[in-house]
């Protein structure tokens, strides 16, 4: 069991907590997140490992992912607590967490009518027959008997959790889930005992808390996650949020309150603030609502990524605990490293929401900046020494190359990195310089810090050609040379050869540091649909009178997780960035006259955009792998990683670099 020293730098964060039912070694809580590491509704070793790693890393309390507490809940990716056959698994889970002096709470949650995958939810239950904003799912209205059965099941399951060694439960009644849907007049238009007025809408949640209290022992913890402001019209604003919190904390002996924002509706992007939101996003709201919790311990949550920020919120008395969701996915040892003054060793969450995208796709929770999620050696990972030290040359100093380089060097190899640019980070650095991209620098900052610590030699501003590579006499050669955007096939190739139209990366580089408004229209052809393209669009909007995104698809941001895509749509609308769907720019454009012709891909009709100052394209990329064929005959070992192997995303670039570094 790791011992956490009371760190001088963060005295509040590492002050133990002694409450009526809770004893915690520090103030750091793990917020609930679905891991998609459950199979057939049973506890799996992989899932237990995920949580045990967070407990070993120093969190004082873990709120589990949502559990199937009522018999009507059957999701295969959630552990079924109502099923008695899972008792042993639940016991193993609780014991694995308690072994690290960490408490485990099970989360009660149901999505109700909310859905963020394609299509409607055919099994949705809900308060009223009203469509969900995103999927237009109309739920099956829960009859009074069903609500009562749900509550009774939850109470019985809570008893089972208590028997299994869980310290308590958290009821997720914010974020737009089922309890939230009952609380909100926007989604609850019942006229029976569970609707009609404030009291009626509160009854489902209130009865559930009362039933759990009655069913479980006096020491069983009940935490409430409540809606602070869901951002929908006629729904839960801070005034109603305060009334709900006041009523719940007056009537029930709950152990803490956590406020959150957003819904699983049009304000989905509010509920997991991405990199475009200010740090500690919800803290102003939490402070505003603080008087309504009647002195109950309050949790600070929402894009708190840095120990100094966390300490500040505690020191100012804003909250009693700090809950971390994504930051503990990225680094389970965040508490341990903070306690020991090793902040530079933390892999920081960059708020990209790739994690959310992976679980919504039905894949295990994964992270752009943590290639070892749920591995047995994940906590404070140190690469194992290589059997034989060798000379390794990495060509390319983007995130794939840097990851491979630091891991290989930590294993004892002598590593040289040849980077074409003047600084580490490659295209991720370029993205980090665009609006909202700043936090991405944490990926390459960590890699570069580690690489330097382990003695990697960097040569920047060097073209990694055959001669320079030969000078480094590598035993193993790693090519991480990235990729290049493909020329749009709808435009004449001569225009490419004449250098008339820059690709999005070239344009972003050229505009770096430009602040003078240029005027005219910027047209960006979008066959990319990932975050960076829209960050560039925002930059263009600052510099040009009009920005038009032309895409052959029916909409934009299609390859961004929906939780962040909604934020992109919101920004594009607010900034009046226009979107022209089903289109591609064509040769009929007269660039010298400032006109771009866009052809509808279905009808062939042409639309003309006038007064165009700049046309650019963000398109699928082809691997820059020419060196591979040229050098393979000359070296015993040549590897390609990241985009140089096949252009994909940050998740695969860091993952592939990490995996290779561990095998060289
Ligand atoms: C991948 C992922 C899954 C989540 N699943 C849940 C959930 O099932 N229940 C819940 O109450 N909150 C869930 N959340 C929200 C988090 O608990 C937390 O409120 C939110 O991420 C903000 O905290 P953070 O900025 O520290 O990540 C999830 C968040 C993420 C990133």
């Amino acid at each position: 069991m790791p011992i956490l020293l009371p760190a001088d730098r963060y005295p509040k964060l590492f002050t133990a907590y002694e409450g009526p039912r809770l004893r915690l070694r520090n103030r750091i809580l793990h917020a609930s997140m679905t891991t998609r590491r459950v199979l057939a509704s049973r506890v799996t070793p992989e899932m237990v490992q995920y949580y045990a790693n967070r407990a070993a890393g120093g969190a004082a309390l873990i709120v589990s992912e949502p559990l199937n507490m009522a018999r009507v809940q059957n999701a295969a990716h959630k552990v079924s607590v109502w099923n008695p056959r899972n008792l042993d698994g639940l016991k193993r889970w609780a014991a694995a967490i308690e072994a690290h002096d960490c408490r485990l709470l099970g989360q009660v949650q149901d999505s109700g009518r909310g859905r963020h995958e394609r299509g409607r939810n055919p099994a949705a239950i809900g308060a009223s027959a009203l469509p969900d904003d995103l999927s237009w799912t109309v739920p099956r209205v829960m009859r009074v008997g069903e609500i009562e059965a749900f509550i009774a099941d939850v109470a019985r399951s809570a008893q089972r959790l208590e028997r299994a060694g869980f310290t308590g439960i958290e009821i997720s009644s914010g974020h737009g889930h089922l309890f939230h849907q009952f609380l909100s007049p926007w989604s609850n238009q019942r006229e029976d005992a569970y609707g009609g007025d404030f009291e009626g809408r509160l009854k489902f949640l209130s009865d559930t808390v009362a039933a759990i209290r009655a069913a479980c022992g006096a020491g069983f913890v009940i935490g409430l996650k409540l809606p602070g402001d869901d951002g929908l019209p006629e729904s839960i604003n801070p005034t109603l949020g305060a009334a709900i919190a006041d009523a719940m904390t007056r009537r029930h002996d709950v152990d803490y309150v956590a406020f959150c924002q957003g819904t699983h509706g049009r304000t989905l992007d509010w509920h997991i603030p991405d990199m475009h939101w200010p740090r500690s996003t919800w803290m102003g709201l939490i402070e505003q609502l603080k008087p309504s919790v009647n002195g109950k311990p309050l949790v600070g949550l929402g894009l708190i990524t840095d120990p100094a920020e966390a300490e500040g919120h505690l020191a100012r008395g804003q909250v009693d605990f700090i809950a971390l969701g994504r930051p503990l996915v990225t680094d389970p040892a965040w508490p341990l490293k903070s306690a020991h003054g090793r902040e530079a060793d933390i892999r920081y969450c960059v708020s990209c929401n790739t994690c959310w995208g992976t679980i919504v796709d039905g894949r295990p929770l994964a992270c752009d900046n943590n290639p070892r999620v749920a591995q047995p050696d994940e906590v404070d990972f140190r690469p194992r020494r290589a059997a034989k030290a060798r000379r390794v040359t990495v060509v390319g100093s983007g995130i794939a190359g840097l990851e491979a380089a630091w891991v290989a060097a930590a294993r004892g190899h002598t590593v040289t990195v040849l980077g074409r640019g003047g600084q580490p980070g490659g295209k991720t650095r370029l993205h980090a310089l665009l609006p909202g991209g700043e936090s991405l620098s944490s990926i390459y900052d960590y890699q570069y810090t580690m690489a330097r610590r382990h003695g990697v030699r960097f040569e920047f501003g060097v073209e990694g050609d055959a001669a320079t590579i030969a000078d480094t006499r590598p035993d193993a050669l790693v090519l991480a040379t990235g990729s290049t955007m493909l020329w749009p096939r709808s435009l004449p190739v001569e225009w490419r050869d004449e250098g008339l139209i820059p690709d999005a990366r070239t344009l972003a580089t050229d505009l770096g540091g430009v602040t003078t408004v240029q005027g005219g229209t910027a047209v960006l052809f979008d066959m990319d649909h990932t975050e960076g393209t829209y960050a560039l669009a925002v930059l263009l909007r600052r510099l040009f009178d009009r920005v038009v995104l032309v895409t052959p698809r029916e909409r934009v941001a299609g390859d961004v997780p929906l939780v962040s895509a909604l934020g992109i749509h919101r920004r594009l609308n607010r900034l009046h960035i226009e979107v022209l769907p089903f289109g591609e720019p064509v040769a009929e454009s007269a660039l010298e006259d400032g006109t771009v012709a866009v052809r509808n891909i279905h009808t062939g009709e042409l639309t003309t955009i006038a007064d165009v100052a700049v046309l650019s394209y963000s398109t699928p990329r082809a691997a820059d792998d020419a060196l591979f064929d040229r050098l393979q005959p000359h070296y015993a070992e040549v590897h390609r990683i990241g985009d140089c192997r096949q252009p994909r995303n940050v998740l695969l670039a860091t993952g592939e670099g990490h995996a290779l570094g561990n095998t060289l």
Side-chain angles (χ1 to χ4, degrees):
M1 190 198 312
I3 295 166
L4 289 191
L5 305 174
D8 291 343
R9 291 168 76 97
Y10 309 115
K12 298 286 183 200
L13 202 49
F14 292 98
T15 295
Y17 172 78
E18 198 74 52
R21 300 187 183 85
L22 263 183
R23 187 193 56 76
L24 301 177
R25 55 182 162 168
N26 61 46
R27 301 305 176 103
I28 303 165
L29 318 184
H30 171 286
S32 170
M33 283 168 295
T34 300
T35 63
R36 286 273 182 181
R37 288 170 192 273
V38 172
L39 285 177
S41 303
R42 307 197 69 153
V43 173
T44 62
E46 199 191 342
M47 186 204 72
V48 172
Q49 185 75 59
Y50 171 86
Y51 287 102
N53 288 355
R54 271 76 207 157
L61 179 146
I62 286 175
V63 182
S64 81
E65 58 202 88
L67 307 168
N68 290 329
M69 300 285 280
R71 277 165 298 176
V72 70
Q73 297 179 301
N74 280 304
H77 68 277
K78 297 180 182 174
V79 176
S80 286
V81 182
W82 57 260
N83 189 336
R85 74 177 184 165
N86 280 334
L87 182 63
D88 282 348
L90 294 167
K91 281 183 179 167
R92 279 198 305 278
W93 185 4
I97 305 310
E98 280 289 338
H100 297 282
D101 189 21
C102 179
R103 309 286 92 80
L104 180 60
L105 306 187
Q107 193 181 63
V108 184
Q109 183 254 47
D110 191 283
S111 310
R113 68 180 188 178
R115 181 176 174 87
H116 33 250
E117 295 95 347
R118 285 175 73 84
R120 319 282 206 263
N121 177 359
I125 49 175
S128 298
L130 293 167
D132 160 52
D133 296 337
L134 292 181
S135 67
W136 303 328
T137 293
V138 175
R140 179 167 58 79
V141 177
M142 291 173 85
R143 302 295 184 247
V144 169
E146 284 178 273
I147 297 173
E148 288 167 355
F150 189 99
I151 295 170
D153 280 357
V154 169
R156 241 190 319 273
S157 291
Q159 271 179 339
R160 182 163 296 131
L161 288 178
E162 188 176 30
R163 222 174 318 138
F166 281 58
T167 298
I169 52 105
E170 178 184 272
I171 305 181
S172 184
S173 34
H175 286 323
H177 298 307
L178 182 66
F179 287 102
H180 185 151
Q181 291 162 26
F182 269 81
L183 290 169
S184 163
W186 173 246
S187 41
N188 181 348
Q189 295 186 354
R190 304 174 73 100
E191 289 178 355
D192 60 13
Y194 290 92
D197 59 10
F198 176 80
E199 282 300 326
R201 287 191 295 270
L202 196 71
K203 185 171 164 57
F204 183 26
L205 177 61
S206 187
D207 285 3
T208 304
V209 174
I212 295 169
R213 260 287 160 262
C216 298
F220 197 66
V221 166
I222 300 179
L224 284 182
K225 197 174 199 186
L226 291 176
D229 181 6
D230 67 18
L232 297 179
E234 299 156 52
S235 192
I236 301 179
N237 58 20
T239 309
L240 184 50
I244 292 168
D246 177 60
M248 289 304 297
T249 50
R250 252 182 225 285
R251 292 175 200 180
H252 300 284
D253 187 8
V254 296
D255 296 278
Y256 69 79
V257 173
F259 286 110
C260 58
Q261 275 198 337
T263 57
H264 266 59
R266 280 182 200 155
T267 48
L268 185 74
D269 52 321
W270 291 31
H271 103 288
I272 306 179
D274 71 8
M275 51 172 93
H276 293 270
W277 292 79
R279 284 158 171 270
S280 301
T281 315
W282 300 338
M283 196 51 75
L285 176 70
I286 293 168
E287 276 204 281
Q288 186 187 342
L289 293 171
K290 189 178 162 94
S292 66
V293 301
N294 296 307
K296 295 291 178 201
L298 192 57
V299 177
L301 171 69
L303 217 144
I304 302 168
T305 57
D306 186 281
E309 288 164 354
E311 177 70 16
H313 297 309
L314 294 170
R316 286 190 290 277
Q318 292 167 299
V319 290
D320 303 284
F321 303 115
I322 297 293
L324 306 173
R326 293 163 295 174
L328 291 183
V329 177
T330 315
D331 197 336
W334 188 104
L336 204 59
K337 291 173 180 174
S338 304
H340 291 93
R342 293 174 52 209
E343 298 87 345
D345 295 359
I346 294 175
R347 288 194 95 142
Y348 287 99
C349 170
V350 300
S351 320
C352 59
N353 283 342
T354 294
C355 51
W356 194 89
T358 58
I359 62 157
V360 170
D361 282 351
R363 290 178 285 142
L365 188 70
C367 175
D368 276 7
N369 199 17
N370 177 6
R372 300 198 80 74
V373 178
Q375 297 294 312
D377 57 0
E378 180 190 6
V379 183
D380 204 6
F381 171 71
R382 303 192 187 213
R384 215 169 319 141
R385 297 297 286 182
K388 184 167 174 274
R390 301 191 296 161
R391 266 191 311 277
V392 176
T393 298
V394 179
V395 186
S397 57
I399 53 171
L402 287 175
E403 185 70 27
W406 89 256
V407 175
R411 298 183 60 232
H413 297 306
T414 302
V415 181
T416 303
V417 172
L418 306 176
R420 188 192 297 161
Q423 288 168 306
K427 303 301 184 300
T428 305
R429 175 178 284 272
L430 186 59
H431 187 172
L433 295 172
L434 292 172
E438 191 187 335
S439 60
L440 289 172
S441 62
S442 294
I443 300 177
Y444 54 83
D445 282 349
Y446 172 86
Q447 295 169 326
Y448 189 53
T449 302
M450 289 298 145
R452 298 218 338 191
R453 184 178 297 169
H454 293 290
V456 173
R457 197 169 66 83
F458 283 90
E459 289 186 33
F460 288 119
V462 168
E463 199 59 54
D465 56 19
T468 22
I469 291 167
D471 286 347
T472 63
R473 296 183 295 118
D475 300 313
L477 177 60
V478 179
L479 299 178
T481 43
S483 59
T484 301
M485 286 179 172
L486 290 163
W487 178 254
R489 296 186 75 170
S490 57
L491 292 175
V493 260
E494 302 82 60
W495 291 8
R496 177 190 64 197
D497 301 339
E498 290 163 25
L500 286 179
I501 303 171
D503 70 12
R505 291 160 161 185
T506 308
L507 181 64
T509 309
D510 292 349
L511 292 176
V514 175
T515 52
T516 310
V517 174
Q518 309 288 302
T521 300
V523 178
L524 185 55
F525 178 49
D526 177 13
M527 271 181 68
D528 174 61
H529 282 225
T530 70
E531 163 72 35
T533 295
Y534 308 104
L536 174 60
V538 171
L539 175 68
L540 292 174
R541 188 63 191 85
R542 288 180 191 164
L543 300 174
F544 296 89
D545 294 333
R546 186 181 171 213
V547 175
V548 183
L549 287 171
V550 176
T551 184
R553 282 187 178 165
E554 77 283 12
R555 60 187 170 137
V556 288
D559 297 336
V560 177
L562 188 59
V563 69
S564 289
L566 246 80
I568 291 172
H569 296 153
R570 198 182 300 284
R571 276 191 296 285
L572 297 184
N573 279 285
R574 271 194 192 140
L575 295 169
H576 301 290
I577 292 172
E578 296 162 47
V579 176
L580 197 49
F582 308 118
E584 56 190 6
V586 286
E588 284 81 348
S589 303
L591 298 182
E592 62 287 358
D593 298 337
T595 64
V596 167
V598 176
R599 183 173 56 208
N600 182 295
I601 59 164
H602 296 300
T603 65
E605 279 172 73
L606 291 182
T607 302
T608 304
I609 306 172
D611 192 27
V612 174
V614 62
L615 168 64
S616 178
Y617 59 94
S618 184
T619 48
R621 306 167 322 261
D624 288 337
D625 59 357
L627 277 177
F628 182 71
D629 296 323
R630 215 174 314 142
L631 298 182
Q632 213 190 11
H634 305 292
Y635 294 95
E637 245 185 72
V638 185
H639 305 272
R640 285 169 295 178
I641 54 171
D643 273 15
C644 172
R645 183 180 177 82
Q646 190 188 349
R648 285 150 302 162
N649 53 25
V650 172
L651 181 69
L652 291 164
T654 48
E656 229 161 64
H658 189 82
L660 180 67
N662 276 302
T663 50
L664 283 171

